[in-house]
Amino acid sequence: LPASMYTEVQRERPDGGSNLTHPDYIDGNPDLIKPKKLLNPVKASKSHQELHRELLLNHKRGLGVESKPELQRVLEHRRRNQLIRQKKEEEEAKKLQSPFEKELLKRHQRLDQLEKEKEKQEDHPPEFIKVKENLRRTSTVAGDEKAA
């Protein structure tokens, strides 16, 4: 008697321990349709087969694969084209600006420049205003001392 069911299952494997499951149909019955293995659509495609054949030939010849993978090269090419296209669109947009839009842009720039100058002037008031404020402070301090 076997010690457990596991040892019994191990003994029943006639195929030498493969992990494949056995079909539920009987081989001798001609009325049943036997299932066929499904084809992998990627491997069945012509482009995949040609690429695989080319890789095998290059490997046999000893030719190394290019330093960058094809996907990386394609992505870099797309990025480069996208940047070029974007620059062209910006240049065309600048060329197509109407005189009115150009004038508005100039006025907007002038207003920005004036605002910056005002901020600078507010930060650094003229020297005579600083001196006048110092004189007021000293006069109020001197007046407070006399009153005390």
Side-chain angles (χ1 to χ4, degrees), residues 140-148:
T140 55
V141 170
D144 292 337
E145 290 176 2
K146 290 180 184 177

Side-chain angles (χ1 to χ4, degrees), residues 9 12-15 17-25 27 35:
V9 170
E12 289 179 3
R13 286 189 181 172
D15 57 346
S18 71
N19 292 333
L20 298 175
T21 58
H22 296 288
D24 293 338
Y25 57 86
D27 290 334

Side-chain angles (χ1 to χ4, degrees), residues 15 19 38 45 47 52 70 83 91 94-95 104 138:
D15 57 346
N19 292 333
L38 295 175
S45 71
S47 61
H52 186 66
E70 184 180 359
L83 287 173
E91 289 175 5
K94 287 180 182 178
K95 289 179 183 177
L104 280 177
T138 54

Side-chain angles (χ1 to χ4, degrees), residues 5 7-9 48 54 63 81 97 105 113 125 127 143:
M5 285 295 285
T7 56
E8 194 172 278
V9 170
H48 177 80
E54 185 179 341
L63 300 175
N81 286 344
Q97 280 184 342
L105 184 63
Q113 188 177 11
E127 192 172 334

